Amino acid sequence: KARVEGVLLQEMRRGAQEMILGVTTDPLFGPLLMAGAGGVLVEVAGDVAFRVCPVSPGDVDEMVAGLRSARLLEGFRGRPPLCARAYKDALLRLGQLVGDFAGILEVDVNPFMVGETAERCLAVDARIRIDPREF
């Protein structure tokens, strides 16, 4: 007989833009921070930017400004501007995290919902791959 162990409910996010942030480890350069259009757009549009960690606020500003999808954060077709500052802050914090913990090999936060305010921004799904020898 089947049993229900629990139910997970999550509010629907409206008025937010799906973005991605992540880290991959290059054998030559080490950790690379990634920013880009999230959700299925990351696979379809390939609108991503990378920087070698550690990153500065200026690096993150350049990454986001260089994305074709950056216009969606600025307000587009009558939509209000979104909180790009919170997205950039999440990128900076992720860059710091991999700098502090060398055993983090890969991070994928997709989608990261960018809302109108920092309080309306939310990481919906995340995956982290670690080197167990480092932890």
Side-chain angles (χ1 to χ4, degrees):
K1 215 175 195 188
R3 260 181 35 179
V4 174
E5 296 290 328
V7 176
L8 175 65
L9 297 176
Q10 185 170 333
E11 77 175 274
M12 182 77 154
R13 277 296 150 129
R14 297 186 193 281
Q17 177 61 45
E18 292 183 344
M19 299 297 285
I20 189 171
L21 56 140
V23 171
T24 188
T25 302
D26 182 85
L28 225 50
F29 295 106
L32 301 174
L33 184 67
M34 176 189 61
V40 296
L41 284 178
V42 72
E43 297 170 24
V44 174
D47 183 22
V48 294
F50 291 90
R51 292 293 184 281
V52 175
C53 290
V55 293
S56 70
D59 293 329
V60 169
D61 287 343
E62 287 178 9
M63 286 176 75
V64 174
L67 297 170
R68 291 184 304 274
S69 54
R71 287 187 58 206
L72 297 173
L73 300 176
E74 298 164 0
F76 186 73
R77 290 194 169 209
R79 293 182 183 172
L82 302 176
C83 191
R85 178 185 46 78
Y87 179 56
K88 292 175 184 180
D89 185 55
L91 287 162
L92 282 169
R93 289 171 185 260
L94 181 57
Q96 182 67 49
L97 180 70
V98 298
D100 290 347
F101 297 96
I104 297 175
L105 302 174
E106 201 173 292
V107 178
D108 183 22
V109 180
N110 185 25
F112 182 88
M113 305 299 286
V114 181
E116 291 180 37
T117 65
E119 294 77 21
R120 298 293 299 159
C121 294
L122 175 71
V124 174
D125 189 20
R127 183 181 57 84
I128 300 175
R129 190 169 65 88
I130 61 169
D131 181 347
R133 298 170 297 183
E134 294 286 336
F135 289 94

